[in-house]
Amino acid sequence: MTETPVHPALWPAPLASGAVDATVTVPGSKSVTNRGLVLAALAAEPGWLRRPLRSRDTLLMAEALRTLGVGIEEGVGPDGSGEAWRVIPAGLHGPATVDVGNAGTVMRFLPPVAALADGPVRFDGDPRSYERPLGGVINGLRALGARIDDDNRGALPMTVHGAGALEGGRVEIDASSSSQFVSALLLSAPRFNQGVEVRHVGSALPSMPHIRMTVDMLRCVGAQVDEPETGGEPNVWRVSHSALLGRDLTVEPDLSNAQPFLAAALITGGTVVIPDWPVRTTQPGDQLRQIFTEMGGTCQLTDRGLVFNGSGRIHGIDVDLSEVGELTPGIAAVAALADSPSTLRGVAHLRLHETDRLAALTKEINELGGDVTETADGLHIRPRPLHGGVFHTYDDHRMATAGAIIGLAVDGVRIENVATTAKTLPDFPDMWSSMLAGSGS
């Protein structure tokens, strides 16, 4: 892994001195990179992953697949057009130990892969990973024929005893705490002897765009998928047994990681350009265009990319974020600086993310003088004059960027453990400083 830059324990969030005017090149999507790695590892032939994100979560995924026998060669693409990873499938094997860190995609997407390996695979990670829900994947795999030792915790650490194959078939799971439970079973399903039929039987399913991303990427490598979006039964997905093709996949920019930079334009009344913003995408971050427009900005897709302009005014918003929960911390930070109250709804599942994001946002914004109240499924934010202070991150990358957003308009905000942004945004502090200097990154 690349070395994480050293930053002070309390990083002084820069105060904006004027309107931002910058072009910011956002690294590749974590969600696309990690799904692409899994699908390439399960393919029948080698494939390429171009412009992958190099961050803690994606490097953990790559290293985990290597421990199972997959070849992943980092270099440049066959035409010399930039960084690319060559993924060479191989027979999956144990014994092996997978370090998931605190990456939801690693801890949830790889147990089904491990069930296809020949031998035991132990999963372990950061202390917080032990608290994150995993029962939907564990129970689903057991119903499909896998043997898993987790001491009945429904959480890490655990061992998947791979038998070289998995029967598959029909399974019911409750994925109301994480859409990744569904994606986890779908990604490996073409390699199951009977494929899979996944039925979600819980309450409202969060983050549906991420499931659509999984389905689209499966189809791109030759899988046959029936889903609710194309006339299938509600909350039912079927994937047939088939060989997967090795593809040449280019990873889109991570649109959710563009959020703090777009927020900077909104807050300062400036302009930020994000190159290579896709015209069509399944990434949840694409909804930032609509949300931040409602909060006072304007945007346009051009040949340069997405051009976003702030008006100098920030408006409150009443919005259901159930499909885009990962955007909540950044939206809450902007809302704390608005000219009217905001209500963020549909995100009760954020209590089970890298940290309890609803409690963390409430505490940290309020300690800077804000007025945030937790609701049953979200936050109510009444803007108040804010002051400087320490903004704790709880080892959560999106908490760190939320604090930086507030720091643009509030002098004296210091971010505790800003290095946690390396989870998805390598060296965010340098990108942030370059944006404020007008040079982009």
Side-chain angles (χ1 to χ4, degrees):
M1 292 192 184
T2 55
E3 298 234 348
T4 301
V6 176
H7 300 293
L10 295 177
W11 179 70
L15 184 71
S17 59
V20 168
D21 184 3
T23 296
V24 181
T25 301
V26 177
S29 163
K30 176 196 73 174
S31 298
V32 173
T33 299
N34 275 356
R35 283 167 173 77
L37 282 170
V38 171
L39 291 172
L42 296 175
E45 56 194 348
W48 288 96
L49 202 61
R50 298 175 185 261
R51 294 174 60 181
L53 173 67
R54 287 185 58 85
S55 71
R56 187 183 187 217
D57 280 19
T58 60
L59 293 173
L60 283 167
M61 178 68 85
E63 187 57 32
L65 290 168
R66 288 187 183 108
T67 68
L68 297 176
V70 178
I72 301 177
E73 301 172 352
E74 301 182 32
V76 296
D79 55 4
S81 60
E83 183 172 10
W85 293 351
R86 177 75 161 165
V87 183
I88 305 167
L92 302 170
H93 61 75
T97 298
V98 168
D99 175 13
V100 309
N102 192 20
T105 51
V106 181
M107 71 179 72
R108 292 167 182 149
F109 292 177
L110 286 190
V113 176
L116 299 169
D118 184 9
V121 181
R122 177 174 171 78
F123 288 82
D124 209 337
D126 299 351
R128 171 63 181 170
S129 71
Y130 296 2
E131 303 171 20
R132 300 187 67 183
L134 197 56
V137 175
I138 293 172
N139 296 335
L141 285 174
R142 282 180 175 147
L144 295 172
R147 179 184 157 210
I148 301 174
D149 292 336
D150 68 332
D151 293 334
N152 297 315
R153 287 184 305 271
L156 296 178
M158 69 177 186
T159 299
V160 178
H161 294 273
L166 194 65
E167 192 58 25
R170 176 174 172 170
V171 62
E172 294 184 349
I173 63 171
D174 181 353
S176 54
S177 61
S178 176
S179 68
Q180 289 178 353
F181 295 169
V182 174
S183 288
L185 297 177
L186 298 184
L187 286 167
S188 293
R191 291 282 301 272
F192 300 168
N193 293 340
Q194 298 182 38
V196 79
E197 177 184 297
V198 178
R199 291 178 172 264
H200 165 62
V201 295
S203 56
L205 190 60
S207 304
M208 278 295 295
H210 280 119
I211 298 180
R212 295 184 199 117
M213 178 187 294
T214 297
V215 170
D216 277 8
M217 292 185 69
L218 276 161
R219 287 174 173 158
C220 283
V221 295
Q224 180 180 333
V225 187
D226 296 323
E227 58 161 341
E229 299 288 318
T230 53
E233 293 180 62
N235 293 328
V236 178
W237 294 262
R238 297 182 182 89
V239 180
S240 302
H241 172 78
S242 68
L244 297 180
L245 306 173
R247 290 297 198 195
D248 188 332
L249 172 68
T250 299
V251 178
E252 297 174 352
D254 193 316
L255 306 187
S256 295
N257 278 340
Q259 181 181 38
F261 307 101
L262 300 179
L266 185 58
I267 288 167
T268 67
T271 300
V272 166
V273 180
I274 308 292
D276 302 316
W277 193 286
V279 175
R280 177 192 174 276
T281 181
T282 54
Q283 287 192 61
D286 193 45
Q287 294 195 32
L288 285 167
R289 291 191 290 159
Q290 176 181 344
I291 293 168
F292 277 173
T293 295
E294 290 183 28
M295 297 187 80
T298 59
C299 66
Q300 185 178 6
L301 275 174
T302 72
D303 291 342
R304 297 166 60 201
L306 179 71
V307 180
F308 186 86
N309 298 287
S311 63
R313 296 280 304 276
I314 307 168
H315 308 310
I317 191 170
D318 186 329
V319 61
D320 183 342
L321 299 175
S322 57
E323 291 203 346
V324 291
E326 66 196 50
L327 304 180
T328 302
I331 293 169
V334 173
L337 303 170
D339 58 12
S340 58
S342 295
T343 299
L344 313 184
R345 296 178 282 106
V347 287
H349 60 286
L350 294 189
R351 295 187 171 97
L352 302 170
H353 275 221
E354 279 83 343
T355 188
D356 179 341
R357 284 179 170 164
L358 299 185
L361 286 164
T362 300
K363 178 178 181 295
E364 298 309 314
I365 295 174
N366 286 350
E367 288 193 353
L368 298 182
D371 185 357
V372 181
T373 304
E374 270 194 75
T375 65
D377 71 339
L379 300 172
H380 187 61
I381 302 168
R382 303 170 190 83
R384 295 284 187 272
L386 302 181
H387 55 73
V390 175
F391 195 94
H392 298 91
T393 64
Y394 309 88
D395 294 325
D396 184 334
H397 57 132
R398 299 206 192 278
M399 286 296 296
T401 53
I405 290 169
I406 292 173
L408 288 171
V410 179
D411 194 12
V413 174
R414 293 171 294 159
I415 311 298
E416 172 265 334
N417 188 20
V418 74
T420 193
T421 53
K423 178 181 173 71
T424 57
L425 262 180
D427 206 14
F428 165 77
D430 275 0
M431 294 179 69
W432 199 242
S433 298
S434 295
M435 174 197 68
L436 291 171
S439 61
S441 63

